Amino acid sequence: MDRNVRFVFSSLALAVAPALVAHAQADPSDLRVQAETLMKSGQYAQALPLLDQSIKLDSASSSAASSYFSRGRCLFALKRYPEALKDFAEVTRRRPKVAPGWYNKALTEMALPSPDWGGAVNSLTQVIQIDPKARPGEQNLKLESLDRRAECYLETKVFDKAIADLNAVLALDSSRTSAWQNLAFAYSELKPPQTDKAIDAYGKALAAAKPEDKYNLLLARAELYRTKQAWQPELDDLVAALKIKPGDAAVLNERASVYYRMGKLQEAAADYDAVSKLRTGPEAIEALRNKAAVHWKQPNYPATIETLTALLAKAPNDTEALKLRGAANLNMKPANYSAAIADYQKYVAAKPGDAAAWKDLSVAA
């Protein structure tokens, strides 16, 4: 089962632009200020007509860029992304050296129903080249643009460029859990994958993560350990994950398979038993079949028979369960020949071409 965590796509939060507002002229600015007051309280539909009017009154002046910027933010909040993109494109045309316009244009290109990843990369590259300096308390648009551009590269599977951007992000802010996670994902998706680097990045992500975010990170790293057949590290991560969510049947099932590979058969049987109680239908039957296989390997024939009997109560016509239970009855000390005969007779009735089963039936008879 693939438990790899995909890369993290951050929520699209537009930048504000105090520099744009500072250049506003007096006449239409009142309308824009009223609109921005409404936007702060989430009243975007009410703010939009005011911004339309502000632009209509003042579209030719240099200060109109401020109104286009505000209307773009308003349209973005209303999820009218194509219209928002036109406004942000107008802002960048009028003020090509102002970073927030390019940054918001990029986020809008990413939010389109059919995202324009190439356009977003170009817009974010403009921000990075402008290299805006963040004042205390302001958003660091160069840092955010590197992070967003990495997301675009991940979406388009340009993993080497994503890795370069994410390393640049982490050089500026090593506490970003999402960047470490995205870096791990990128390393794991390279051809060939750089699994050790991905594992290391997941470790850094776990060190920086909030408790509620650690579960999926542990499972992602466990999957990478699995590809390396590093059973003990995988087991450690699965155990840690199950301390967070003890009732996850998929993880219990995975841990059982690791226990089995490590020869810890009693622990494997216990996990498969838990899975069989948590799941229903074919998945519960499969868990019982796995549990029976573990008991057979121990060997513990009474436990094998008990588990297969529980399985056959759910699936009376499961021929493989009948065959294995027949074999377990034959291997008991003393053997239970009558039970073995009954199981083999049902089995060969369904699978008459199995010569080995006919031979076992003869032995039992």
Side-chain angles (χ1 to χ4, degrees):
M1 178 184 58
D2 184 4
R3 301 292 303 194
N4 256 329
V5 175
R6 207 182 191 285
F7 70 88
V8 178
F9 202 105
S10 304
S11 58
L12 300 179
L14 295 180
V16 296
L20 293 179
V21 177
H23 291 285
Q25 301 295 321
D27 292 338
S29 65
D30 289 342
L31 290 168
R32 189 176 62 253
V33 169
Q34 292 176 46
E36 288 173 350
T37 301
L38 290 168
M39 289 165 64
K40 287 177 181 176
S41 61
Q43 300 181 68
Y44 297 103
Q46 293 82 353
L48 187 58
L50 298 176
L51 293 167
D52 289 339
Q53 188 178 357
S54 175
I55 291 171
K56 185 177 181 181
L57 291 171
D58 194 31
S59 62
S61 74
S62 60
S63 64
S66 300
S67 296
Y68 278 111
F69 186 88
S70 293
R71 190 172 70 174
R73 291 177 57 223
C74 187
L75 289 164
F76 187 98
L78 293 169
K79 299 185 178 181
R80 293 165 61 173
Y81 302 122
E83 295 167 83
L85 182 57
K86 290 180 181 178
D87 276 357
F88 289 130
E90 184 65 22
V91 172
T92 59
R93 186 185 71 80
R94 291 172 181 249
R95 295 197 172 159
K97 299 299 183 183
V98 179
W102 288 108
Y103 182 74
N104 286 3
K105 179 174 179 285
L107 265 58
T108 307
E109 287 162 334
M110 294 168 73
L112 290 169
S114 296
D116 181 2
W117 302 115
V121 166
N122 291 335
S123 297
L124 293 164
T125 300
Q126 289 291 330
V127 180
I128 294 164
Q129 290 174 349
I130 292 169
D131 193 11
K133 305 302 180 186
R135 290 176 290 190
E138 286 185 353
Q139 199 174 19
N140 186 334
L141 289 186
K142 181 178 180 180
L143 175 62
E144 298 301 330
S145 295
L146 285 164
D147 210 350
R148 297 293 185 176
R149 193 171 68 174
E151 291 175 1
C152 294
Y153 287 138
L154 289 171
E155 280 284 357
T156 52
K157 303 185 186 305
V158 187
F159 298 114
D160 55 338
K161 290 186 176 181
I163 288 168
D165 276 356
L166 289 164
N167 278 317
V169 168
L170 291 163
L172 295 168
D173 181 3
S174 62
S175 68
R176 289 201 168 202
T177 303
S178 61
W180 284 116
Q181 180 173 330
N182 287 349
L183 183 62
F185 176 81
Y187 278 132
S188 68
E189 291 296 310
L190 286 172
K191 304 298 181 189
Q194 295 190 23
T195 305
D196 289 337
K197 288 185 176 181
I199 287 171
D200 180 69
Y202 275 128
K204 299 285 179 40
L206 281 160
K210 297 177 182 177
E212 61 269 22
D213 296 329
K214 291 187 175 183
Y215 183 72
N216 287 330
L217 293 170
L218 286 164
L219 295 183
R221 190 171 66 174
E223 179 64 22
L224 292 177
Y225 282 132
R226 190 178 187 87
T227 65
K228 290 170 62 71
Q229 297 187 1
W231 306 126
Q232 187 59 55
E234 181 189 3
L235 179 61
D236 292 341
D237 278 355
L238 294 174
V239 169
L242 284 165
K243 287 181 179 177
I244 299 171
K245 290 186 181 180
D248 190 319
V251 182
L252 282 165
N253 197 64
E254 186 120 348
R255 188 174 70 174
S257 72
V258 176
Y259 278 139
Y260 185 84
R261 287 178 172 86
M262 296 177 71
K264 297 184 176 183
L265 301 181
Q266 186 173 348
E267 292 87 344
D271 274 357
Y272 282 131
D273 182 65
V275 173
S276 72
K277 293 171 181 174
L278 288 166
R279 286 179 164 170
T280 58
E283 291 181 330
I285 291 170
E286 183 63 23
L288 287 169
R289 181 175 288 109
N290 289 336
K291 180 184 173 185
V294 172
H295 286 316
W296 176 269
K297 187 172 182 178
Q298 282 178 316
N300 185 339
Y301 300 119
T304 303
I305 293 166
E306 180 183 0
T307 302
L308 291 170
T309 300
L311 188 160
L312 287 162
K314 297 175 182 290
N317 297 318
D318 191 308
T319 53
E320 292 306 312
L322 284 166
K323 183 178 181 181
L324 186 58
R325 191 173 67 175
N329 277 305
L330 273 181
N331 280 277
M332 287 277 288
K333 301 294 183 185
N336 188 340
Y337 294 115
S338 60
I341 290 169
D343 282 343
Y344 277 120
Q345 284 178 336
K346 290 179 183 178
Y347 175 79
V348 296
K351 298 285 184 74
D354 190 332
W358 281 106
K359 180 178 179 181
D360 288 343
L361 177 58
S362 298
V363 170

